[in-house]
Amino acid sequence: MALAVGMRVLTRALLRPWARGLRVAPGRTGPAAGGGDGMRCFGSPRVLVEPDPAAGVAVVKMRNPPVNSLSLEFLTELLISLEKLENDKTFHGIILTSDCPGIFSAGLDLTEMCGRKPEHYVEYWKAVQETWLRFYLSNLVVIAAINGVSPAGGCLLSLTCDYRVLANNPKYTIGLNETLLGIVAPFWFKDTMVNTIGHRATERALQLGLLFPPAEALRVGVVDQVVPEDQVQSTARSVMAQWLAIPDHARQLTKTLMRKPTADRLLTERDADIQTFVRFICRDSVQKSLHAYLEKLKQKKG
Ligand SMILES: CC/C=C\C/C=C\C/C=C\C=C\CC(=O)SCCNC(=O)CCNC(=O)[C@H](O)C(C)(C)COP(=O)(O)OP(=O)(O)OC[C@H]1O[C@@H](n2cnc3c(N)ncnc32)[C@H](O)[C@@H]1OP(=O)(O)O
């Protein structure tokens, strides 16, 4: 039932004008294309997929410049790429990384949550929910190669992965900083963080909107490994090999066992969660906070 709802959201998204033609955007043969067996990079305008069929792995590169903000279009393209890889028996694992220098993802796209109509907020929030559910419950091994800053929704996306490797650069902070924007991390953001670093550490991190630099992120457990910047991709590949050495069915069932209760909570409260989001985001005070935050970002330049 829940899956059917998810499929409807995805199918509706695919029917949108901007989603047409996204299914295959054939490109050059990937550098990671498994010794020239002819499998090409594919993807969409904002998501580049570099397949390595020999290893059963695809590198999924987010490229929604300037900051990989998670817009509706971008989320839809990410979902399409994930679905395509999940439906292709060649692939057992994904490395999720960024093609935007210094930025993994700036999180949810603030312009999707500012000055729009309630119907838009409903559509956007469904896509955010769907992305979280799909990545969190993916049967594939998903490893985040975090090569840039990763606030809020960017951090959440990495938390859906099975393992996080972060580049050791003090600028590459990571965390759920929603309170700094005057907004509140929804319960499933919070649950994902609690499952990763525990209740007390989450309580502190979320209330204070902490963005952890690499050493702190490793200490608290937001990431699993911190490595020099030029070793992020190779480390993600070695870790992937380790995870893929485990019998797939046993690993997948264990993942489901661990994650299903958390996902089920959102699945059973999905509509209520949308209503809560729309009510919250439509408040004058919240809109003012978000506008002010966006303005601050823009003025930073000048
Ligand atoms: C009871 C409660 C019930 C329910 C809960 C209800 C609601 C919860 C709702 C939402 C949860 C949201 C989670 C989120 O993800 S919110 C987004 C949080 N993200 C951030 O705080 C990051 C903001 N960005 C930055 O800090 C920086 O941009 C940077 C560090 C990522 C990169 O810095 P740079 O110096 O490299 O680049 P900038 O000049 O700052 O930015 C370039 C360009 O991009 C625009 N931009 C940046 N971030 C975003 C974004 N998240 N969305 C949209 N646009 C973004 C920025 O404004 C610049 O635009 P211009 O070039 O000036 O036009």
Side-chain angles (χ1 to χ4, degrees):
M1 169 65 183
L3 194 64
V5 173
M7 284 311 293
R8 275 205 300 277
V9 172
L10 194 56
T11 309
R12 267 203 307 271
L14 282 168
L15 291 173
R16 300 193 174 284
W18 44 260
R20 280 186 208 125
L22 291 182
R23 283 208 159 264
V24 185
R28 58 196 157 85
T29 304
D37 66 357
M39 194 168 224
R40 286 169 172 274
C41 290
F42 59 91
S44 56
R46 298 169 187 84
V47 181
L48 177 68
V49 181
E50 292 178 354
D52 180 351
V57 176
V59 178
V60 174
K61 289 187 172 170
M62 301 184 280
R63 54 168 182 196
N64 188 27
V67 292
N68 278 338
S69 61
L70 302 170
S71 64
L72 187 54
E73 288 91 340
F74 182 39
L75 290 176
T76 307
E77 289 184 29
L78 265 179
L79 282 169
I80 291 168
S81 291
L82 178 66
E83 197 193 348
K84 198 171 159 61
L85 291 165
E86 284 177 337
N87 289 338
D88 185 334
K89 296 218 173 346
T90 315
F91 298 105
H92 302 281
I94 295 177
I95 294 174
L96 181 66
T97 193
S98 165
D99 205 35
C100 294
I103 314 242
F104 182 71
S105 165
L108 300 193
D109 193 308
L110 295 165
T111 64
E112 302 278 10
M113 301 189 288
C114 267
R116 307 287 196 113
K117 293 208 162 68
E119 307 85 75
H120 180 80
Y121 299 138
V122 170
E123 189 178 13
Y124 183 58
W125 203 245
K126 278 184 183 165
V128 177
Q129 289 180 335
E130 188 64 16
T131 308
W132 178 78
L133 285 165
R134 291 278 166 156
F135 274 88
Y136 197 61
L137 295 177
S138 177
N139 270 337
L140 299 171
V141 175
V142 189
I143 293 182
I146 310 171
N147 49 351
V149 63
S150 195
C155 172
L156 182 75
L157 188 58
S158 80
L159 291 175
T160 65
C161 299
D162 298 297
Y163 195 92
R164 283 160 291 285
V165 182
L166 173 61
N168 194 6
N169 181 325
K171 289 188 189 152
Y172 297 174
T173 57
I174 182 166
L176 296 180
N177 63 328
E178 280 79 358
T179 52
L180 301 185
L181 285 73
I183 55 180
V184 181
F187 71 87
W188 40 288
F189 285 42
K190 179 266 294 172
D191 288 346
T192 317
M193 187 63 116
V194 168
N195 292 348
T196 311
I197 67 171
H199 194 278
R200 172 61 192 145
T202 301
E203 189 174 21
R204 185 169 163 268
L206 264 62
Q207 287 198 48
L208 296 176
L210 296 180
L211 286 170
F212 299 102
E216 273 289 287
L218 183 63
R219 192 190 58 74
V220 76
V222 176
V223 299
D224 299 292
Q225 213 172 331
V226 172
V227 299
E229 197 150 2
D230 61 355
Q231 289 170 27
V232 174
Q233 307 299 332
S234 58
T235 305
R237 285 205 160 249
S238 314
V239 172
M240 180 64 84
Q242 200 186 348
W243 283 64
L244 291 185
I246 308 300
D248 228 18
H249 66 285
R251 184 199 54 74
Q252 284 176 3
L253 285 170
T254 306
K255 181 170 177 174
T256 306
L257 197 69
M258 294 296 296
R259 295 188 169 200
K260 199 170 171 293
T262 304
D264 278 348
R265 205 174 151 208
L266 176 61
L267 286 167
T268 54
E269 296 177 35
R270 208 166 181 168
D271 289 339
D273 181 63
I274 293 169
Q275 282 167 28
T276 305
F277 170 73
V278 175
R279 259 200 317 274
F280 182 80
I281 216 76
C282 285
R283 279 189 203 168
D284 275 354
S285 58
V286 173
Q287 283 293 310
K288 272 190 191 137
S289 290
L290 290 177
H291 274 294
Y293 190 76
L294 259 174
E295 268 317 296
K296 212 167 82 188
L297 283 178
K298 289 187 191 307
Q299 278 164 14
K300 199 176 66 175
K301 286 182 180 156

